[in-house]
Amino acid sequence: MDLDVFVVAHQAEWARLEQLLGRGRRLTGAEADELVSLYQRTSTHLSLVQSSAPDPMLTARLTQLVARARSTVTGTRRASWRDAARFFTEGFPAAVYRSRRWWIPTALLSTALGVLIGWWIATHPEVQGVIAAPTEIKQLTEPGGKYETYYSSHPAASFAAQVWTNNAQAAAICLVFGAFLGIPVLWILFLNMANLGVGLGLMSSAGRLDVFLGLILPHGLLELTAVFVAAGTGLKLGWTVIDPGPRTRRTALAEQGRAALGMAIGLALVLFVSGLIEGFVTPSGLPTWARITIGIAAEVAFLVYVYVLGGRAARAGETGDVEEADRTATLPTAA
């Protein structure tokens, strides 16, 4: 395609579209129809330029023109309670459900790694000596030690808020930085599993594994599940960079990235619930079986939410992306 000839042939149409978009008054019916027609033709022109004769300056000009025209044609829409309801009943659970082939293996492999680290520490006293001095390990693991008093060391409300903030940040990092081929996600997972493994190993070697599990399970089931979902989604985003499938890499990343950012909001709420459990239930005077039952109930409720509501929405075509009307226009690619 001869770019100069193409510009000369369509310059008048672009100028007319700019003129209509710059009108400060309400358009007449004929002008509105003309604007829609010019918007459609300019979108096609942009597609042709991008695929056949990419020119940075012309592409930028037409992209801005198409975006302005699209905003005028479709109008702006304010978020409503309906959007929030749709997100929590369809968008978020569907996004988690659709990512299950990533976060379930992530959960299984990460848990296995944590258990393996715990076994290694518990069965190798020399490794324990590298972690801390014997007196420090005793202070951690003895009755009334730091592992037990950690959850009641601060007022419940402030402790829950602190835990929620830290976990939400870790989940957000997994989701956002997954685009870097998933490498930051793997590091965060390793740190989490190493911390878990150290606690398992030291408390097991002290013969107090039951106490440790009684403290971890009430909040840890839901908390780790949220982290695994975030990590799995981040890894999926990283794989999209490598293999975007039939879509262009830009389009695939945009779709997956929007869904991931939405999941960050949903997972923040899930982690808020686990933070409440960690702040108010874990250090409470309830029997161990009651605290663990609460943790299991919260975990089961989340899984039912994902597999029932999310599965139904995903089968209906929900992807967790924003509604089509709110997305950037996807232009056809010329053959």
Side-chain angles (χ1 to χ4, degrees):
M1 182 176 71
D2 189 319
L3 190 61
D4 293 331
V5 173
F6 185 81
V7 171
V8 170
H10 300 290
Q11 178 66 41
E13 293 176 289
W14 304 337
R16 176 57 177 165
L17 180 57
E18 285 182 324
Q19 182 183 19
L20 291 173
L21 292 172
R23 291 284 178 87
R25 59 177 176 79
R26 192 179 187 88
L27 298 178
T28 65
E31 288 173 333
D33 291 340
E34 184 183 9
L35 187 148
V36 172
S37 177
L38 289 171
Y39 159 59
Q40 293 172 336
R41 292 208 293 271
T42 305
S43 297
T44 303
H45 298 160
L46 175 58
S47 176
L48 289 170
V49 170
Q50 287 178 321
S51 59
S52 302
D55 177 86
M57 293 185 64
L58 182 58
T59 298
R61 177 191 174 190
L62 293 182
T63 299
Q64 184 181 33
L65 192 56
V66 168
R68 289 175 58 199
R70 180 177 184 272
S71 177
T72 301
V73 170
T74 61
T76 56
R77 186 175 64 83
R78 293 184 178 180
S80 64
W81 286 108
R82 171 185 168 277
D83 296 312
R86 173 186 170 274
F87 172 76
F88 286 110
T89 58
E90 298 178 18
F92 172 59
V96 177
Y97 180 83
R98 289 171 63 89
S99 299
R100 68 192 185 282
R101 291 184 177 86
W102 285 88
W103 61 262
I104 291 178
T106 298
L108 294 176
L109 292 174
S110 298
T111 302
L113 175 62
V115 171
L116 181 62
I117 292 174
W119 169 82
W120 181 52
I121 293 174
T123 57
H124 291 76
E126 66 276 13
V127 176
Q128 299 173 28
V130 173
I131 295 173
T135 54
E136 294 176 330
I137 293 178
K138 183 179 179 181
Q139 291 175 354
L140 288 171
T141 59
E142 64 184 356
K146 293 182 179 180
Y147 272 126
E148 287 188 43
T149 59
Y150 168 75
Y151 298 101
S152 55
S153 57
H154 300 283
S158 61
F159 183 74
Q162 179 183 351
V163 168
W164 172 58
T165 301
N166 293 338
N167 290 332
Q169 287 177 344
I173 290 173
C174 287
L175 291 167
V176 174
F177 290 94
F180 293 95
L181 303 181
I183 296 174
V185 178
L186 295 175
W187 178 244
I188 291 173
L189 277 176
F190 175 76
L191 290 179
N192 275 274
M193 292 305 101
N195 287 333
L196 176 63
V198 169
L200 284 171
L202 294 181
M203 289 293 277
S204 178
S205 66
R208 309 192 70 231
L209 181 60
D210 56 333
V211 175
F212 183 75
L213 294 178
L215 293 170
I216 288 293
L217 291 179
H219 64 274
L221 291 173
L222 186 60
E223 177 184 300
L224 286 176
T225 299
V227 172
F228 293 146
V229 170
T233 304
L235 292 174
K236 182 180 179 182
L237 183 61
W239 183 253
T240 302
V241 178
I242 300 172
D243 181 15
R247 303 162 295 179
T248 65
R249 182 169 283 104
R250 180 179 179 180
T251 299
L253 277 173
E255 293 177 0
Q256 186 61 33
R258 287 192 300 264
L261 289 176
M263 288 179 69
I265 298 173
L267 289 176
L269 183 59
V270 175
L271 288 168
F272 177 72
V273 175
S274 73
L276 290 178
I277 296 174
E278 187 169 359
F280 292 92
V281 176
T282 298
S284 71
L286 292 173
T288 300
W289 66 265
R291 290 185 278 112
I292 293 178
T293 299
I294 292 173
I296 293 174
E299 173 74 359
V300 170
F302 176 70
L303 294 178
V304 169
Y305 167 72
V306 168
Y307 275 85
V308 175
L309 290 183
R312 182 189 305 155
R315 288 188 290 272
E318 178 64 57
T319 63
D321 198 353
V322 296
E323 292 190 30
E324 186 173 0
D326 297 324
R327 303 174 198 168
T328 302
T330 302
L331 301 171
T333 302

